[in-house]
Amino acid sequence: MTKSTQKITLSPSRDIPFNKLVLSQSNVRRIKGGVSIEQLAESIAERTLLQSLSVRAVLDGEGRETGMFEVPAGGRRYRALELLVKQKRMAKTQAVPCVVRDRGLAVDDSLAENDQRVGLHPLDQFRAFQALRDAGMGEEEIAARHFVTVAVVKQRLRLASVAPALLDIYASDGMTLEQLMAFTVTQDNARQQEVWDKVSRSRFDEPYQIRRQLTEQTVRASDRRAQFIGLEAYETAGGAVMRDLFEADDGGWLQDVALLERLVVEKLRCESERIAAEGWKWIEAGISFPFGHTQGLRRFEGRPADLTTEEQAAIAALHAERAKLEGDYEGADELPEDVDQRLGEIEAALSSVEERQMIYAPAEMARAGAFVSIDAEGRLRVERGYVRPEDEVADPGDGPGVDADAGEDGTGVQGAQGVGQAAAVRIGGTGLEAPDDEAEDSERPLPDRLISELSAHRTLALRAALGAEPAIAFQAVLHSFVLATFYPFGSSLACLDISLRSPSFPAEPTGLRESASAKAIAARHATWKARLPASDKELWPALSAMDGTAQAELFAHCASQAVNAIHEPDKPVHHGRMSAQTVRGRLEQADRLSRAVGLDMVSAGWKPTVENYLGRVTKHRILQAVREAKGEASVQLIDHLKKADMAREAERLLDGTGWLPEPLRGADIEVAQAAEGTNAEGLPAFLNEDDEASDGADEVEEITAAE
């Protein structure tokens, strides 16, 4: 006999006046979360009650209904209605739709209602916001109606605009929300799909790796070129900017690199013509110039433009304000944000005064020129007053600085006009060459140009280090003097050019001018330049007035400029080539000097990047570097990648490890110092007036024994 299926009977619903309802103690929700009662009340006021309350009749002691009903499920809705009654926006007798329950337990009803509630999938919310916008709602209205910020609405709408195929993958849990967020940096659905196809087949699908690939053909807004022209000018010219709504992006990424380069060239040309109109004979412009580009050029100093009475008063006021702020917060561990910002503004204002335009004589301008470039912060850098050797006055009897190119009145305007019209903007390339990826030789040595560039970093760092070690600088120069005097065949092995000619870098790596070593040298040079007299006729008395310590420090700085630890395998010498023995001997001397000053290229700021090393060597060497720094497990993470991707991931893995390529490594400093017998604690005995003669003799004996 077939058993009949029992029919389900639903609980009846009825409208009950609000003042007949009370909150049940059986409601399981105790902890607040989600939308607040106030926001829920506003939603009910806007849309009315969208979900009925679940109620049970309140019985007296004999089991009879009292006419009151308790609410075990729907407590938050009840409190929102209660708030509307208190605000007199709803009558206390307002009928409330309720489902009346009379079977089971009240606490079971409350628990079941919360357990069975399924939260909205994020993708459903993204698409719902998009549907509201398509229906005519603005972002501000959507945010107000759903109690979120406008920024959240923008984020949800951007997520909804990702390629539909990727949204489907996310909906089926094939992609995390963080990965989906990474794809929003671009609105190019085809590019999004292309990158996902690539990363999904590898293990390199972290959000930051997705962002990196999506932006690899763009330029960051923090780039010096973008800062120079400004985002507004770029966008006005029709350039598109990619933005990340989920993470700090430093202004985004500029997509049209060709447009950016054109705008930079146009602005540099315009600035060059403006500066040429000042009366200079020549203008050379470029995004940047190599380190030491002014080497061998004489420079006219000029004089600062006179300050007006108003400017002098403004400077005095700035100094007084800075002194007051520093005095008020002298004992504070940390400055308030507004005070710190104001001090920064004061420093910037005072710096702008110090960097005010210099005034040059017309006759000087008629045979000198200026370099126009962009500094690391995107500001225009103008280096005025440089004289090329061919523009130097041949015969002093021709007059004080008047050149044939100057006008009849000696103002130099004629020369300036000619150069101003012909001034060219030169945008140099990176000069980076990468080896052939398809024909890699695991035993292939490092390219000579790369070694030369690495040695340029080392040379500059060694100059900076030697300039801070007066005692070792004295010993190094003395060593070169003794080589030249007593060992004529060994003088070419010295790594100091005692003529104090500062060797240029035949292959300059990108970023050398902005390196920590370059900045340290420039700062030290500027300090000494400000301390020395303007005229060389006054130099001897000025040096005589210095004490031994100051002379030693100045000596060390000058000696450091002659450091030459450059790898130059093809440098010509007379009619032949520099011998391998000469190069090897010079680099060995550089190693000795590096150990003496304790040179550490990691502390000097060098770290491996795609630009300066990893993108320039074979895959074998990339893997070797990662293996040395991180171990075999890290190598297995990248050994299957193509060269470009491998280099980028290796840069990330090597960051902070202190790994250095062979040309930049040094021997153990303590052992080397012991072997050298170097004493870097103080000045040489002949400069220390307090040392006795016997101490100096002992030191000479120790040095001789070590040699």
Side-chain angles (χ1 to χ4, degrees), residues 1 17 47 118 146 190 192 240 274 296 346 354 392 405 438 443 522 525 622 676:
M1 181 176 180
R47 306 174 180 86
V118 178
H146 292 276
Q192 293 169 346
R274 176 181 63 81
I346 293 174
E354 295 174 357
E392 294 285 2
D405 290 331
E438 301 302 326
E443 300 302 323
H525 191 83
I622 296 175
E676 297 291 342

Side-chain angles (χ1 to χ4, degrees), residues 567-645:
H567 173 76
E568 299 176 275
D570 298 325
K571 182 177 180 180
V573 177
H574 300 296
H575 300 292
R577 294 282 176 182
M578 182 177 291
S579 69
Q581 180 183 4
T582 300
V583 174
R584 183 168 59 253
R586 188 183 67 197
L587 295 182
E588 288 176 355
Q589 293 291 332
D591 289 340
R592 171 175 293 184
L593 193 59
S594 299
R595 293 193 296 268
V597 299
L599 180 65
D600 179 4
M601 289 304 298
V602 176
S603 299
W606 194 92
K607 61 181 180 179
T609 65
V610 174
E611 289 76 17
N612 67 16
Y613 183 80
L614 299 169
R616 318 278 302 286
V617 299
T618 63
K619 293 174 68 174
H620 172 78
R621 286 193 177 272
I622 296 175
L623 296 176
Q624 183 181 30
V626 174
R627 182 178 293 109
E628 292 176 358
K630 301 284 287 185
E632 190 63 35
S634 296
V635 170
Q636 294 176 5
L637 293 176
I638 65 174
D639 58 4
H640 63 287
L641 295 179
K642 290 184 177 180
K643 170 67 178 297
D645 295 333

Side-chain angles (χ1 to χ4, degrees), residues 267-339:
K267 186 172 181 179
L268 272 176
R269 181 178 292 112
C270 180
E271 293 289 350
S272 299
E273 292 172 354
R274 176 181 63 81
I275 295 166
E278 296 174 3
W280 300 106
K281 182 177 182 181
W282 54 266
I283 300 292
E284 186 171 349
I287 292 179
S288 64
F289 291 105
F291 184 84
H293 65 284
T294 60
Q295 186 70 34
L297 302 183
R298 186 163 65 94
R299 187 179 190 182
F300 293 124
E301 293 298 331
R303 63 176 180 84
D306 296 331
L307 294 173
T308 64
T309 304
E310 293 78 9
E311 289 173 334
Q312 293 175 356
I315 292 173
L318 289 172
H319 280 293
E321 183 181 358
R322 181 175 63 180
K324 182 179 184 305
L325 290 174
E326 291 175 346
D328 292 344
Y329 296 93
E330 183 176 1
D333 294 334
E334 187 174 353
L335 294 175
E337 184 176 350
D338 58 334
V339 174

Side-chain angles (χ1 to χ4, degrees), residues 457-478:
H457 275 289
R458 186 187 184 210
T459 296
L460 202 61
L462 186 52
R463 290 180 185 178
L466 183 63
E469 296 287 351
I472 298 173
F474 269 109
Q475 181 174 324
V477 175
L478 180 60

Side-chain angles (χ1 to χ4, degrees), residues 201-332:
R201 292 193 299 268
S202 70
R203 288 169 288 180
F204 293 91
D205 56 357
E206 292 294 327
Y208 77 90
Q209 294 166 325
I210 294 172
R211 286 186 178 89
R212 179 185 297 173
Q213 294 203 36
L214 288 170
T215 59
E216 63 184 359
Q217 303 297 327
T218 63
V219 173
R220 275 197 173 274
S222 56
D223 185 273
R224 70 170 71 187
R225 294 165 293 175
Q227 293 289 322
F228 179 60
I229 64 169
L231 278 182
E232 183 177 353
Y234 168 79
E235 291 179 309
T236 301
V241 179
M242 296 166 53
R243 299 302 304 266
D244 191 339
L245 298 183
F246 298 92
E247 289 191 0
D249 59 8
D250 294 330
W253 296 267
L254 282 64
Q255 293 180 260
D256 196 336
V257 181
L259 173 62
L260 172 64
E261 295 283 2
R262 179 173 62 81
L263 294 175
V264 169
V265 169
E266 291 175 354
K267 186 172 181 179
L268 272 176
R269 181 178 292 112
C270 180
E271 293 289 350
S272 299
E273 292 172 354
R274 176 181 63 81
I275 295 166
E278 296 174 3
W280 300 106
K281 182 177 182 181
W282 54 266
I283 300 292
E284 186 171 349
I287 292 179
S288 64
F289 291 105
F291 184 84
H293 65 284
T294 60
Q295 186 70 34
L297 302 183
R298 186 163 65 94
R299 187 179 190 182
F300 293 124
E301 293 298 331
R303 63 176 180 84
D306 296 331
L307 294 173
T308 64
T309 304
E310 293 78 9
E311 289 173 334
Q312 293 175 356
I315 292 173
L318 289 172
H319 280 293
E321 183 181 358
R322 181 175 63 180
K324 182 179 184 305
L325 290 174
E326 291 175 346
D328 292 344
Y329 296 93
E330 183 176 1

